[in-house]
Amino acid sequence: MQDRDRLLDCVERALGELPIDRVEPCGLYAPIRYILEDGGKRIRPLLCLMGADLYGGAPERALNAAVAVEVFHNFTLLHDDIMDQAELRRGRATVHRKWGESGAILSGDAMLILAYRILQDGAQAFGGADRLIELLRVFNRAAMEVCQGQQYDMDFETEARREVSLAEYVEMIRLKTSVLLAAALEMGAIVGGASAAERRALYEFGVDLGLAFQIQDDLLDTYGDERTFGKTIGGDIAVGKKTFLHITAMERATAAQREAIVARGEVGEKLSRVRGIYDALGVREAAEEAIGGYFDRALAALRQAHADPRRLTVLEEYAYSLMKRTK
Amino acid sequence: MQDRDRLLDCVERALGELPIDRVEPCGLYAPIRYILEDGGKRIRPLLCLMGADLYGGAPERALNAAVAVEVFHNFTLLHDDIMDQAELRRGRATVHRKWGESGAILSGDAMLILAYRILQDGAQAFGGADRLIELLRVFNRAAMEVCQGQQYDMDFETEARREVSLAEYVEMIRLKTSVLLAAALEMGAIVGGASAAERRALYEFGVDLGLAFQIQDDLLDTYGDERTFGKTIGGDIAVGKKTFLHITAMERATAAQREAIVARGEVGEKLSRVRGIYDALGVREAAEEAIGGYFDRALAALRQAHADPRRLTVLEEYAYSLMKRTK
């Protein structure tokens, strides 16, 4: 397995060399450069390159797949920020705050097209036209599922939708978050020359890793440390978002507790009130158990990926680092 | 050349059979069905199928390309309507008026992905993976150019942008309108087995036809007959849109006339005032001349497409009918 930092360098360089620099019209491309240059952990492209490397394929051959997935992911962030009316993203003004909503919608559209363009341009490196079509199939399905996940996420937050089950929630985050991690891994594996069974194993690894990661994000939003989490603690409770914690609590709560969970209040008061109920109901432990369960399932799937054990270890270590766990 | 109505039937049936019926989540797919079912002239898919038929390829083989282009076109209408804050489209409430802006953004995104999915599904009918890649290349370029055209269109209408030249305007409508007609034709020709020169000729035909068509739309907006045009006459003048007519007038006008063109006023008064200046400056004739010029160029390009003359005639007749001209 090649050094993670070297793979990250590849990704950053490729993102920096996209055919959107000094191209007119400026209003279309400046927002794309803006959102792509502000970093992020580049989890998806790294997983894609690692997926290719697992099977001995030179990871550079999967670079266009990795970059296409990252461009797609940032496109979803850009449009989600409009839908959520978010003001800030990674500490900077969101695209629609800076360029207006129309510009943000259009630049997002152009990013989605750009992702396909990048995939198309990679055909030769991937190993030919048939390979490209296999990648397109995986990418198209994941892309559509991400839209489905975002729709469920919006549906769940409407006034009319009072109850969301844990199963529905897990399905929503699977679609919204997990399938793109899974697709990135599978696309890398395709370029690397993996068998169908190996591809499936890596895909499952990605799905379960994504679920563990997202539920951990829910947990940290309520119980995390502001200095390391990077977002304000308690945001989900403040807006009453139906997270893993909220739904688990509502399932376990008495009628009185349920009322106390949804009652309005000053932010600090609401946070300590709701957290108190969560503590009483063992919600934190339930979340930790779910995270551990999905993470273990992810590792079990990874062991089915039949790659060189030494190479597998590096991907496994990356998974641990994403979960901020030690092996 | 097969009967135009039969080709239209093929398109409508394929649109009706898209994999979006009875699929969850409903909020994502209902707007897609809504915008696709409200008709329109299906110009792009018809041109695509006719392009395939020109070279003797069974037009059905190009059906997924035709439908992908139509889905893409309707995606642009859906998102453009948000950007323009349009209330009505073909006499019905726009998607964002009916489902809200967030839903409209997301359904549009799903439509764009769906267009690629439809293309991917057509690989076998097109003639294999290499063919699909050729189609993707043409489609991706056109799709990105349509976004560029929309960006220029928005740029031209900002307060800061006082002057737009006729050349800039023509380039904007080439990108926003023409290249998709051209790409539809070229994609059909690719499936039909046309040579590179023939593909290019059909593409040029589409570009010039699109320019003639768009400038005619500008002309009808000011000088048309409301019963046949389908939109309110004078809409462009009412909002001061920088159309072919407006720009031509501004280039020819005295300082006093320029002021009179941009001055506000009650709708009916403004329409007759501006139309009077247009008449005095020969703007109507200039537009008619440009339309005729582009249309003639389109026909000349078509004659370079080296297809069976009998088949060419049908495409030529369709072009005449689009321009509401007789041969």
Side-chain angles (χ1 to χ4, degrees):
Chain A
M1 173 65 72
Q2 299 202 30
D3 182 61
R4 194 191 303 166
D5 290 338
R6 210 192 62 78
L7 295 179
L8 190 59
D9 275 355
C10 280
V11 170
E12 293 294 350
R13 203 166 45 242
L15 285 169
E17 287 168 359
L18 285 177
I20 50 171
D21 226 12
R22 290 176 293 278
V23 175
E24 291 293 321
C26 170
L28 187 63
Y29 296 110
I32 301 179
R33 286 199 297 275
Y34 177 80
I35 194 165
L36 284 176
E37 80 194 2
D38 87 344
K41 292 190 284 289
R42 312 297 191 199
I43 298 171
R44 293 152 195 82
L46 279 180
L47 288 175
C48 181
L49 296 184
M50 287 177 181
D53 202 32
L54 270 189
Y55 300 97
E60 292 81 0
R61 289 184 38 227
L63 191 56
N64 276 46
V67 172
V69 170
E70 182 67 6
V71 169
F72 176 84
H73 171 61
N74 279 271
F75 141 74
T76 65
L77 298 180
L78 199 168
H79 274 191
D80 285 5
D81 281 343
I82 309 174
M83 300 182 217
D84 300 342
Q85 297 179 23
E87 303 277 319
L88 293 173
R89 154 89 43 205
R90 299 175 195 138
R92 304 196 305 168
T94 48
V95 167
H96 66 101
R97 292 294 301 165
K98 218 170 137 73
W99 279 276
E101 262 192 46
S102 295
I105 293 171
L106 188 62
S107 291
D109 294 344
M111 279 184 96
L112 177 48
I113 295 162
L114 180 64
Y116 281 99
R117 163 75 193 280
I118 295 165
L119 263 188
Q120 165 212 306
D121 286 344
Q124 213 178 352
F126 300 150
D130 287 316
R131 271 290 163 70
L132 174 59
I133 292 187
E134 283 185 86
L135 295 178
L136 266 177
R137 198 166 288 138
V138 174
F139 184 77
N140 278 335
R141 194 188 59 198
M144 186 58 93
E145 288 180 339
V146 170
C147 292
Q148 294 172 348
Q150 171 67 6
Q151 181 71 46
Y152 282 121
D153 195 12
M154 296 195 305
D155 289 348
F156 291 173
E157 298 304 322
T158 55
E159 287 289 326
R161 184 66 191 252
R162 299 291 296 273
E163 303 265 329
V164 174
S165 73
L166 216 47
E168 288 173 318
Y169 177 76
V170 169
E171 175 64 2
M172 183 275 280
I173 61 174
R174 185 185 73 82
L175 294 166
K176 184 168 169 164
T177 303
S178 289
V179 297
L180 194 61
L181 300 182
L185 283 155
E186 185 175 0
M187 290 167 78
I190 290 171
V191 177
S195 71
E198 290 161 351
R199 286 167 50 173
R200 204 159 38 240
L202 268 193
Y203 185 89
E204 291 309 322
F205 163 67
V207 167
D208 288 323
L209 180 64
L211 294 177
F213 191 76
Q214 183 58 49
I215 297 171
Q216 176 162 280
D217 199 65
D218 288 359
L219 184 68
L220 293 176
D221 196 278
T222 295
Y223 289 103
D225 179 335
E226 209 146 287
R227 287 163 303 178
T228 55
F229 185 51
K231 285 189 273 187
T232 311
I233 299 302
D236 288 342
I237 288 179
V239 299
K241 188 160 167 63
K242 300 191 183 79
T243 64
F244 186 95
L245 278 64
H246 174 96
I247 295 165
T248 303
M250 294 296 272
E251 286 186 354
R252 298 179 175 194
T254 63
Q257 283 171 321
R258 290 164 70 101
E259 265 178 49
I261 289 171
V262 298
R264 291 160 192 273
E266 179 272 319
V267 174
E269 182 277 320
K270 179 160 186 181
L271 180 57
S272 82
R273 177 204 338 140
V274 174
R275 200 146 49 179
I277 301 171
Y278 284 3
D279 289 342
L281 295 170
V283 165
R284 182 178 189 160
E285 293 71 21
E288 282 165 352
E289 201 175 308
I291 295 164
Y294 285 119
F295 191 64
D296 288 345
R297 266 177 47 171
L299 296 179
L302 186 59
R303 283 188 287 272
Q304 301 302 313
H306 297 127
D308 174 345
R310 196 178 45 84
R311 295 173 191 260
L312 269 189
T313 304
V314 186
L315 190 47
E316 209 177 74
E317 276 171 6
Y318 185 53
Y320 275 99
S321 79
L322 283 177
M323 301 301 297
K324 299 192 187 4
R325 292 180 169 222
T326 44
K327 215 173 157 181
Chain B
M1 172 64 72
Q2 299 202 27
D3 182 61
R4 195 191 303 165
D5 291 338
R6 209 191 63 78
L7 295 179
L8 190 58
D9 276 354
C10 281
V11 170
E12 293 294 351
R13 203 165 45 242
L15 285 168
E17 288 168 359
L18 286 177
I20 51 171
D21 227 11
R22 290 176 293 277
V23 176
E24 292 291 321
C26 169
L28 187 63
Y29 295 111
I32 301 179
R33 285 197 298 274
Y34 176 81
I35 194 165
L36 284 177
E37 80 194 4
D38 86 344
K41 293 190 284 288
R42 313 296 192 200
I43 297 172
R44 293 152 196 83
L46 280 180
L47 288 175
C48 181
L49 296 184
M50 288 177 181
D53 202 33
L54 270 189
Y55 300 97
E60 293 80 0
R61 290 184 38 225
L63 191 56
N64 276 46
V67 172
V69 170
E70 183 67 5
V71 169
F72 175 83
H73 172 61
N74 279 272
F75 141 74
T76 66
L77 298 180
L78 199 168
H79 274 191
D80 284 5
D81 281 343
I82 309 174
M83 300 182 218
D84 299 343
Q85 298 178 23
E87 302 277 319
L88 293 172
R89 153 94 36 209
R90 301 175 194 140
R92 304 196 305 168
T94 47
V95 167
H96 65 102
R97 291 295 300 166
K98 219 170 136 73
W99 279 276
E101 261 191 47
S102 294
I105 293 172
L106 188 62
S107 291
D109 294 344
M111 277 183 98
L112 178 48
I113 294 162
L114 179 64
Y116 281 99
R117 163 75 192 279
I118 295 165
L119 263 188
Q120 165 211 306
D121 286 344
Q124 213 177 352
F126 300 150
D130 287 316
R131 270 290 164 70
L132 173 59
I133 292 187
E134 283 186 86
L135 294 179
L136 267 177
R137 199 168 286 136
V138 175
F139 183 78
N140 278 334
R141 194 188 58 199
M144 186 58 93
E145 287 179 340
V146 169
C147 291
Q148 294 172 348
Q150 171 68 5
Q151 181 71 45
Y152 281 122
D153 195 11
M154 296 195 306
D155 288 348
F156 291 174
E157 298 304 322
T158 55
E159 288 289 324
R161 184 67 192 254
R162 299 292 296 273
E163 304 263 330
V164 175
S165 74
L166 216 46
E168 288 173 319
Y169 177 75
V170 169
E171 174 64 2
M172 183 274 281
I173 61 174
R174 184 184 75 81
L175 294 166
K176 183 167 169 163
T177 303
S178 289
V179 297
L180 194 60
L181 300 182
L185 283 156
E186 185 176 359
M187 289 167 80
I190 289 171
V191 176
S195 71
E198 290 161 351
R199 287 168 48 173
R200 203 160 38 242
L202 268 193
Y203 185 89
E204 290 309 322
F205 163 67
V207 167
D208 288 323
L209 180 64
L211 294 177
F213 191 77
Q214 183 58 49
I215 296 171
Q216 177 163 280
D217 200 66
D218 288 359
L219 185 67
L220 293 176
D221 197 278
T222 295
Y223 288 103
D225 179 334
E226 209 146 286
R227 287 163 302 179
T228 54
F229 185 51
K231 285 189 274 187
T232 311
I233 300 301
D236 288 343
I237 287 179
V239 300
K241 187 159 167 64
K242 299 190 184 81
T243 65
F244 187 94
L245 279 64
H246 174 95
I247 295 165
T248 303
M250 294 296 272
E251 285 186 357
R252 297 178 175 194
T254 63
Q257 284 172 321
R258 291 166 69 102
E259 265 179 48
I261 289 171
V262 298
R264 290 160 192 273
E266 178 272 321
V267 174
E269 182 277 320
K270 179 159 186 182
L271 180 57
S272 82
R273 179 208 329 144
V274 174
R275 200 146 49 179
I277 301 170
Y278 284 3
D279 290 341
L281 294 171
V283 166
R284 181 177 188 158
E285 293 72 20
E288 282 165 351
E289 201 174 307
I291 295 164
Y294 285 119
F295 191 64
D296 288 345
R297 266 178 46 173
L299 295 179
L302 186 58
R303 283 189 286 274
Q304 300 302 312
H306 297 127
D308 174 345
R310 196 177 46 83
R311 295 173 190 261
L312 267 189
T313 304
V314 186
L315 189 48
E316 208 177 75
E317 276 171 7
Y318 185 54
Y320 274 99
S321 78
L322 283 177
M323 300 301 297
K324 299 191 185 7
R325 291 181 170 221
T326 45
K327 215 172 156 181

